[in-house]
Amino acid sequence: MAFYSKDVDPVFYGAGAKPGLEIWCIEKLRLVPVPKSPIGIFYSGSAYVVLSTSVLKCGPTQHDIHYWLGNDANEVDSALASDKALELDAALGSCAVQYREVQGQETEKFLSYFKPCIIPVEGVFTTQEGASNGDTYQVTLLTCKGDHVAHVKEVPFSRSSLNHNDVFILDTASKIFLFCGCNSSIQERAKALEVVQYIKENKHSGKCEVATIEDGKLVGDSDVGEFWSLFGGYAPIPRDSALGGPQQVDRPVTLFWISLQGKLSQIGSDSLEKDMLEKNKCYMLDCGAEVFVWMGRNTLITERKTSISAAEDFLRKQERSNGTHLTFLTEGLETSIFKSYFNSWPQTAETKLYDEGREKVAAIFKHQGYEVKELPEEDVQSYINCRGTLKVWRVNGHELSLLPASEQTKLYSGDCYIVQYTYPGTERDESLFYAWLGQGSVLEDRADAVFHMDAIVDSARGDPVMAQIAQNKEPLQFFLIFQTLIVYKGGISAGYKKFIAETGVDDDTYDEKKTALFRIQGTGPENMQAIQVDHVSSSLNSSYCYILQSGTSIFTWIGNLTSSKDHDLLDRMIELINPAWQPISVREGSEPDSFWSSLGGKTEYPREKEMKKFIEDPHLFKFTCTEGDFKVKEIYSFTQDDLTTEDVLVLDCHKEIYVWIGRHSTIKSKQEALNLGLKFLQTNILEEELFLEAPIYVVTEGHEPPFFTCFFEWDPSKANMHGNSFERKLATLKGKTSSGTAPSRNALKPRSRDATPDGLRSRSSSSNGWERSFSPASTISGSHLKFSDNYSISSPTPVARKLFTGSSPYQDSPVVEPSSPSTNENSHQIDANETSANSLIYPYQRLTVSSTEPVSGIDVTKREAYLSEEEFAEKIGMPKGAFYKLPKWRQNKLKMAVDLF
């Protein structure tokens, strides 16, 4: 909330105290509040200041400040709006990000505040009552662009304003016409219908007709004739020129220091480091389509005003387009887009402002005699019934072994498992499938686990949710459905045993006769786990309780920072693992020598309280792919209505992600969606600590589980509507219903076997028609990311090395993609003649995944194709022609053996 100060405009007193929008406008060189009733109406001759306040789920308040400049606003008002935005930021404690918005080129973040759009109006804003225009209704022609936010602009009421690419709204006194250019997208048409609805309700009091006009439709409809008569009769619309407007010029990313006098001095280009930014200075980062001004925390408000003016003058002198977005950042509030332009921006270098406040509160509690560990923890909440039916299969080579009920809560870290959980839903039983990949499991088992899960889910009824999860990164929902879980070291699958035999490494599979150390964790009887860890003292942590099994001696170790709840979990786990045990209870600091000798001696271990990180609010992204160029665009202020049926969306919840598949999207399998999720994790869009092993859920439209819908204000009727997004919006607008039970995504697929793992034990082509092809690394291309409104992954540079480095075996895990050899038209098999014609030849050392001098500009899914014939035969052991006749999974196995996959 803005506080009182002699340097703060009184109009800002109390600003930001409540969530929502607050808008002010410059009138006669002073700032006046804009009444709430016409919010969304902006006058092109005025300049505005807009404050968006939101309360995040983790508690703190977030502020964003925008100053909007109308195309006809004078320079004095525009400059004053810029100064007032900075003044408002200072009044809020310099904890807001500021954006310059230019009429017609607004950021999608700004437009997302105004549902469904903003309406620019000619003239100047005034607080005085205006004169009535009498009974004459002003006919207007608007162009409407955008799929998730609408860019609305008034154009001359003339036939020449129409084109084939856009959607137009003709607003007359008695009827609103929607003209859809033949090249416009379904999503744009649907969004334009929201604008039509807004105009109908706000300008016509809901009392007018609505007509839709298809581009090229000339006869057979009275609305068509009426529409063209308003333009003086029909005439063909000329074809649009191939060059669709000014082209964006690629510019090097350049960092400038801004002096106290407003002079710009270049200090770096392209390869930038965070250390270049000093706390007592201001800088400008020129990224071409967007420009940032970074203001050190120790700079004065006068320095910041000078820097902002310098940046605006820079854009003016360079004659940059109005589409160049200008953002102002205070140190510690850097956006993910800004950080992406720097090499390795430190994840924990700066504590966020609200984290500092939380630490001060914790210090106060300590000073008053309370321990931080006594502060209440987050509630553990399950959004589904956790008393359902659980089935667990172990992946054993190409077979699946169903575990008996008594063993299904005991997993091994060297194995992989498929988990099916069936629970009562609203109208029917629902199923949830997990592929759990053990930390020490082998590559073949991980691939088989995901392959089998995908095949099972594809054959199941009702489009169940499926998820790929890795050991130590399990989501809370996974633990809640197990309630009690024990994870042993080692493995008993054939794949793990074969790996032990071939490599000669020690088999650390749990044995009652061996020394074993278990960490006890959880929140209560419905969520508790015993995880076997390395039996060394460095595995201990004062925040946990442990069980140490050493021959006939059993110790329970109680950390100094544990609670009575933790002690209760420890007692329960002792009963579960072995009720016959008679443990010796040991408190931290009073351990006997025999305890330390069992752990190989006493060493240092973590002794500080593990504080749970507060989870940021989720972010929604739209994923698109055009000719191999993957782009991710964030959807701000998202609602359920943003789940458009033609799209594939990613909901990033920071600890886990959900890939949502619209019923009319181009994604044809959950496996494709899983691959997109892996690509998303690789890009690290939000510059957060989101690991490649983060859980990935795949959810289909109409079958969203409660633990997904909880992130929205959910209306079940919207999830079951028929038709594309335009047809749905049109039916709603005209008062018709198009809801009903939507058909399953795979309802039209032939069923040849029961949807259980028992019916899918063999995956050879001859038995079930499936052929394996590994993907996540093989399908990801592009290590340089472009950020603006779209996050683009475009340059075809090798990223598999970046994706799968480190000690965790899971990081080498592929995702498998079932495909039918006879029907898959998108197969990536390389024809032998095609490869022989490849003129690009590189040495083996530069083509490997782990190469220190990797080749750029190649297809990383076909590294072997760039080898010479001689080196190919030497490394692979056969000619190229013979290699490409092998099944895809066999090719990948051979490539992995020589570090080409």
Side-chain angles (χ1 to χ4, degrees):
M1 181 177 73
F3 297 99
Y4 174 82
S5 169
K6 65 179 181 179
D7 298 322
V8 175
D9 191 323
V11 77
F12 289 143
Y13 292 167
K18 297 180 180 180
L21 286 181
E22 295 171 81
I23 305 177
W24 300 268
C25 186
I26 305 295
E27 182 185 26
K28 297 179 181 179
L29 299 181
R30 64 187 183 92
L31 209 59
V32 296
V34 175
K36 291 187 176 181
S37 55
I39 281 184
I41 304 296
F42 286 80
Y43 288 86
S44 60
S46 298
Y48 294 77
V49 175
V50 178
L51 171 63
S52 170
T53 302
S54 57
V55 178
L56 304 181
K57 287 183 172 61
C58 55
T61 301
Q62 177 176 295
H63 302 291
D64 290 288
I65 299 172
H66 306 255
Y67 64 96
W68 186 91
L69 308 178
N71 289 337
D72 301 325
N74 61 55
E75 291 186 11
V76 175
D77 286 355
S78 298
L80 184 56
S82 173
D83 289 345
K84 288 297 181 181
L86 185 60
E87 187 179 314
L88 175 58
D89 179 42
L92 292 168
S94 295
C95 62
V97 178
Q98 302 169 59
Y99 304 85
R100 183 187 72 160
E101 307 287 350
V102 178
Q103 180 182 342
Q105 302 292 338
E106 296 89 351
T107 62
E108 296 207 352
K109 185 180 186 72
F110 179 75
L111 292 175
S112 71
Y113 303 147
F114 306 95
K115 303 288 186 181
C117 63
I118 66 171
I119 306 289
V121 177
E122 294 292 327
V124 177
F125 172 82
T126 177
T127 52
Q128 299 177 355
E129 292 293 330
S132 174
N133 290 326
D135 297 327
T136 304
Y137 189 88
Q138 185 68 37
V139 176
T140 55
L141 181 64
L142 305 171
T143 178
C144 189
K145 300 181 180 182
D147 48 8
H148 287 277
V149 295
H151 295 263
V152 177
K153 177 183 178 182
E154 184 174 353
V155 294
F157 177 30
S158 168
R159 186 191 297 110
S160 61
S161 295
L162 303 176
N163 62 57
H164 297 293
N165 295 324
D166 297 326
V167 181
F168 294 84
I169 298 171
L170 180 61
D171 179 21
T172 70
S174 60
K175 184 178 290 188
I176 304 173
F177 296 89
L178 180 72
F179 176 84
C180 302
C182 58
N183 296 329
S184 61
S185 70
I186 292 175
Q187 295 97 314
E188 284 185 309
R189 300 179 186 191
K191 179 56 66 173
L193 278 175
E194 293 183 20
V195 179
V196 169
Q197 178 77 31
Y198 175 82
I199 294 173
K200 177 181 178 180
E201 293 176 356
N202 289 275
K203 293 184 66 177
H204 298 269
S205 301
K207 299 175 182 178
C208 74
E209 296 181 47
V210 174
T212 57
I213 309 298
E214 287 290 332
D215 185 7
K217 185 176 182 180
L218 305 179
V219 294
D221 191 329
S222 59
D223 289 330
V224 173
E226 184 180 354
F227 173 79
W228 287 114
S229 68
L230 294 170
F231 290 93
Y234 172 78
I237 300 174
R239 290 185 176 274
D240 301 298
S241 60
L243 187 63
Q247 301 298 305
Q248 182 66 47
V249 179
D250 287 334
R251 301 174 186 271
V253 177
T254 308
L255 183 65
F256 297 88
W257 167 56
I258 307 175
S259 71
L260 297 177
Q261 294 74 35
K263 181 180 178 181
L264 300 178
S265 301
Q266 182 175 334
I267 62 171
S269 181
D270 288 330
S271 183
L272 304 175
E273 300 293 338
K274 196 262 182 185
D275 293 339
M276 293 178 172
L277 306 175
E278 299 181 27
K279 293 179 179 293
N280 60 344
K281 294 182 179 180
C282 295
Y283 300 84
M284 186 185 80
L285 183 67
D286 181 9
C287 307
E290 54 195 339
V291 173
F292 298 89
V293 173
W294 185 91
M295 301 170 288
R297 194 173 292 179
N298 296 341
T299 55
L300 301 174
I301 191 169
T302 53
E303 297 176 65
R304 299 182 181 190
K305 282 187 178 182
T306 300
S307 300
I308 292 173
S309 297
E312 292 174 331
D313 290 342
F314 172 81
L315 296 183
R316 198 176 300 113
K317 291 175 182 178
Q318 291 243 330
E319 297 183 346
R320 296 284 183 91
S321 73
N322 287 338
T324 303
H325 292 147
L326 188 53
T327 305
F328 310 101
L329 306 166
T330 302
E331 180 184 2
L333 296 170
E334 297 86 357
T335 63
S336 57
I337 300 175
F338 177 82
K339 291 188 287 188
S340 71
Y341 290 108
F342 290 79
N343 299 327
S344 304
W345 187 280
Q347 291 281 3
T348 56
E350 298 291 342
T351 303
K352 289 191 175 180
L353 298 179
Y354 55 79
D355 286 336
E356 292 180 352
R358 189 177 297 119
E359 290 170 2
K360 291 177 182 178
V361 172
I364 292 172
F365 271 94
K366 282 188 175 182
H367 183 70
Q368 295 178 349
Y370 296 95
E371 291 293 331
V372 175
K373 65 184 179 66
E374 296 175 6
L375 294 174
E377 296 187 7
E378 294 179 90
D379 292 334
V380 177
Q381 181 178 5
S382 175
Y383 292 93
I384 63 174
N385 187 319
C386 291
R387 301 290 179 180
T389 304
L390 186 68
K391 287 186 178 181
V392 182
W393 291 264
R394 180 185 296 110
V395 176
N396 196 26
H398 300 331
E399 301 288 323
L400 293 179
S401 303
L402 178 64
L403 302 186
S406 60
E407 298 294 318
Q408 65 186 11
T409 58
K410 301 174 183 177
L411 309 182
Y412 286 83
S413 62
D415 295 337
C416 294
Y417 299 84
I418 293 175
V419 177
Q420 178 185 4
Y421 180 68
T422 304
Y423 61 96
T426 304
E427 298 178 353
R428 59 182 182 275
D429 283 352
E430 302 286 354
S431 291
L432 171 61
F433 285 87
Y434 288 100
W436 185 87
L437 312 180
Q439 189 175 25
S441 59
V442 297
L443 183 66
E444 280 280 322
D445 283 354
R446 291 193 289 263
D448 285 333
V450 180
F451 170 83
H452 281 303
M453 177 183 67
D454 180 63
I456 297 164
V457 170
D458 193 58
S459 303
R461 295 179 180 178
D463 260 348
V465 175
M466 80 175 195
Q468 174 180 309
I469 61 174
Q471 183 183 354
N472 298 328
K473 293 292 184 294
E474 297 93 344
L476 176 62
Q477 188 64 63
F478 180 80
F479 287 140
L480 290 175
I481 64 176
F482 271 89
Q483 298 191 10
T484 300
L485 183 64
I486 303 172
V487 180
Y488 297 108
K489 293 181 73 67
I492 57 179
S493 66
Y496 179 81
K497 296 297 183 184
K498 180 182 177 183
F499 169 77
I500 293 296
E502 291 178 348
T503 59
V505 300
D506 293 336
D507 186 356
D508 59 358
T509 301
Y510 173 75
D511 187 329
E512 290 185 357
K513 299 178 182 179
K514 297 180 180 179
T515 301
L517 181 65
F518 294 88
R519 182 182 70 243
I520 308 304
Q521 63 186 39
T523 58
E526 74 291 341
N527 170 30
M528 58 181 186
Q529 302 88 43
I531 311 297
Q532 187 178 356
V533 296
D534 293 337
H535 52 276
V536 292
S537 55
S538 59
S539 295
L540 298 175
N541 188 310
S542 299
S543 297
Y544 294 98
C545 295
Y546 291 80
I547 299 172
L548 173 61
Q549 176 186 355
S550 179
T552 58
S553 299
I554 306 296
F555 295 93
T556 57
W557 186 85
I558 301 173
N560 285 336
L561 298 179
T562 57
S563 64
S564 57
K565 177 202 68 178
D566 299 318
H567 307 160
D568 179 61
L569 294 182
L570 177 64
D571 294 338
R572 290 175 180 271
M573 272 299 178
I574 286 285
E575 288 293 319
L576 285 169
I577 297 176
N578 191 332
W581 280 349
Q582 298 295 322
I584 303 170
S585 181
V586 175
R587 280 204 168 265
E588 181 179 3
S590 60
E591 301 87 350
D593 292 339
S594 58
F595 177 85
W596 294 119
S597 62
S598 297
L599 296 178
K602 184 176 181 180
T603 60
E604 286 300 313
Y605 57 86
R607 299 172 185 268
E608 297 180 355
K609 178 66 178 178
E610 282 195 350
M611 299 293 289
K612 290 185 178 181
K613 291 187 177 181
F614 282 77
I615 302 301
E616 304 279 352
D617 279 25
H619 294 252
L620 186 66
F621 298 87
K622 178 181 177 181
F623 221 144
T624 58
C625 174
T626 306
E627 298 178 355
D629 184 16
F630 291 88
K631 292 184 178 180
V632 182
K633 181 178 73 172
E634 182 164 7
I635 300 171
Y636 299 98
S637 308
F638 66 85
T639 65
Q640 182 184 354
D641 289 336
D642 288 305
L643 302 178
T644 48
T645 186
E646 293 82 16
D647 289 338
V648 176
L649 303 170
V650 178
L651 183 67
D652 181 355
C653 300
H654 302 278
K655 281 188 176 181
E656 59 202 24
I657 68 170
Y658 296 83
V659 181
W660 182 88
I661 312 171
R663 197 174 297 118
H664 291 80
S665 73
T666 58
I667 297 298
K668 300 304 179 186
S669 74
K670 287 187 170 69
Q671 188 57 59
E672 289 182 62
L674 196 58
N675 287 342
L676 289 179
L678 283 163
K679 293 177 192 294
F680 180 85
L681 292 178
Q682 186 272 330
T683 62
N684 193 21
I685 296 295
L686 296 176
E687 296 290 322
E688 58 187 343
E689 296 181 22
L690 188 62
F691 298 98
L692 290 172
E693 302 97 324
I696 304 173
Y697 286 91
V698 177
V699 177
T700 52
E701 182 185 4
H703 299 272
E704 296 86 352
F707 51 88
F708 174 83
T709 60
C710 66
F711 296 106
F712 303 81
E713 292 184 7
W714 196 258
D715 180 353
S717 65
K718 292 182 179 180
N720 291 317
M721 296 183 73
H722 292 312
N724 60 38
S725 54
F726 176 75
E727 293 167 340
R728 297 178 186 186
K729 292 284 173 63
L730 186 60
T732 302
L733 181 64
K734 294 191 174 183
K736 299 176 182 178
T737 59
S738 62
S739 61
T741 303
S744 168
R745 158 172 292 275
N746 51 18
L748 300 179
K749 295 179 182 177
R751 296 281 183 266
S752 58
R753 55 182 69 244
D754 191 52
T756 65
D758 301 319
L760 294 161
R761 291 190 178 277
S762 172
R763 54 173 176 74
S764 63
S765 319
S766 58
S767 61
N768 61 16
W770 292 104
E771 183 185 32
R772 228 178 14 161
S773 68
F774 294 78
S775 74
S778 63
T779 57
I780 302 174
S781 63
S783 59
H784 178 71
L785 308 180
K786 297 178 183 176
F787 294 87
S788 57
D789 282 337
N790 289 334
Y791 302 78
S792 175
I793 318 165
S794 55
S795 59
T797 53
V799 297
R801 179 165 53 88
K802 179 181 177 182
L803 265 174
F804 305 110
T805 56
S807 58
S808 170
Y810 175 73
Q811 291 178 332
D812 294 321
S813 171
V815 173
V816 295
E817 193 171 358
S819 60
S820 171
S822 59
T823 61
N824 184 8
E825 298 175 0
N826 298 318
S827 174
H828 295 290
Q829 297 268 359
I830 308 173
D831 184 73
N833 297 327
E834 188 178 9
T835 58
S836 63
N838 183 9
S839 59
L840 297 176
I841 301 297
Y842 297 101
Y844 167 77
Q845 291 79 6
R846 296 192 63 195
L847 291 169
T848 60
V849 173
S850 57
S851 174
T852 56
E853 298 181 21
V855 181
S856 61
I858 65 169
D859 185 345
V860 295
T861 69
K862 306 172 185 176
R863 296 175 185 272
E864 77 290 346
Y866 299 93
L867 291 170
S868 65
E869 294 286 350
E870 296 76 13
E871 204 162 21
F872 187 98
E874 176 189 346
K875 300 296 181 183
I876 303 295
M878 65 183 70
K880 288 186 178 181
F883 174 80
Y884 290 117
K885 291 179 181 178
L886 296 173
K888 191 72 173 179
W889 68 268
R890 178 63 177 164
Q891 293 178 24
N892 291 329
K893 189 172 182 179
L894 291 172
K895 289 194 291 183
M896 282 188 286
V898 292
D899 200 27
L900 291 174
F901 185 82

